[in-house]
Amino acid sequence: MAIPPKRFDRPEIRFLTQPQLAVLLAAPDPARWEGRRDQALLALCAQAGLRVAELTGLNNGDVTVGDAANVRCLGKGRKHRSVPLNTATSSLLATWATERGGRQDEPLFPTRTGRRLSPDAVERIVAKYARTAASRDHTFPADKIHPHVLRHTCAMNLLQNGVDSAVIALWLGHADIRSTAAYLHADMTIKERALQRMTTANTPSGRYQPGDKLLAFLDSL
């Protein structure tokens, strides 16, 4: 136990900006049953920050829409938690739940045959719509987009809107608040605000923009 753990490189946290998330949520075809299901699934995953296992384990009875809208899930360590839903996500889920029907103990996001979606199926769904989003917006980072990116997107959105890291840890179901610290390192906006407070009065605020001559020189290298 006294042997220190092996050091390793921590992967960069990937997340979507709010404009990029909007492009992804617009990718499913609302004219198709799968498209309406997948749009509700993506919106819930991105807003509630659910893990894939938590998402696939949801039943119809785990979602409350309307007043005090929330989703209840079973997370790691068999810990139950409830996450509030915003108006847009609640509306999507209300529409989907009406179309979905079924008993309270049946899966919220089923296959065509009524079976529960597998984790692999959710990964394919996210990858499929990431490719669609990239075809519509060439700035969309379609490579390496997976369901956990939506969980990171939820955390970064909360952080950038001033939510305390302890609340984010509860929101995501982290057993240790130190797990949430990685998002602080990934958020450049917080670092830029800190840098602006440190600049002297003679230093112009804002991000440095290289001139055309410098860009041309760098391109020639």
Side-chain angles (χ1 to χ4, degrees):
M1 292 178 65
I3 299 175
K6 179 181 178 181
R7 294 182 180 274
F8 61 94
D9 294 332
R10 294 187 180 274
E12 178 186 359
I13 290 181
R14 290 178 173 268
F15 64 95
L16 299 177
T17 64
Q18 290 307 296
Q20 290 171 340
L21 178 59
V23 174
L24 180 65
L25 296 182
D29 183 2
R32 302 181 67 245
W33 182 87
E34 287 88 352
R36 295 188 293 274
R37 177 200 64 188
D38 296 346
Q39 189 177 47
L41 181 151
L42 293 173
L44 178 60
C45 189
Q47 197 254 295
L50 301 182
R51 301 179 178 93
V52 175
E54 296 167 349
L55 188 68
T56 58
L58 290 177
N59 292 328
N60 291 331
D62 293 329
V63 173
T64 299
V65 295
D67 296 335
N70 67 89
V71 59
R72 298 170 297 282
C73 65
L74 183 63
K76 280 186 176 180
R78 302 195 63 78
K79 293 180 179 179
H80 292 269
R81 77 177 188 278
S82 296
V83 181
L85 301 176
N86 61 28
T87 304
T89 305
S90 175
S91 178
L92 271 175
L93 286 171
T95 303
W96 167 246
T98 301
E99 179 178 1
R100 164 71 178 93
R103 300 192 311 270
Q104 294 290 290
D105 61 347
E106 291 181 334
L108 179 63
F109 300 114
T111 64
R112 275 283 187 181
T113 59
R115 294 181 297 177
R116 198 175 296 276
L117 284 174
S118 68
D120 287 344
V122 175
E123 293 222 11
R124 288 193 296 271
I125 287 171
V126 173
K128 169 186 174 183
Y129 294 119
R131 291 191 297 270
T132 302
S135 69
R136 297 176 180 178
D137 182 353
H138 297 302
T139 64
F140 187 88
D143 59 315
K144 298 183 180 179
I145 296 296
H146 49 81
H148 217 70
V149 170
L150 298 180
R151 180 171 163 84
H152 294 328
T153 299
C154 169
M156 295 301 293
N157 186 36
L158 292 170
L159 184 64
Q160 291 169 352
N161 281 282
V163 178
D164 186 81
S165 57
V167 177
I168 298 175
L170 290 172
W171 192 293
L172 298 179
H174 285 161
D176 191 335
I177 192 174
R178 288 177 295 181
S179 301
T180 314
Y183 299 111
L184 290 168
H185 293 289
D187 187 9
M188 288 300 297
T189 59
I190 290 179
K191 297 174 183 177
E192 287 179 351
R193 287 197 296 267
L195 180 62
Q196 288 176 1
R197 295 192 192 102
M198 294 168 59
T199 55
T200 62
N202 297 327
T203 304
S205 61
R207 183 178 295 183
Y208 171 71
Q209 297 292 335
D212 293 339
K213 289 184 178 180
L214 177 57
L215 289 175
F217 169 73
L218 294 174
D219 286 338
S220 67
L221 295 178

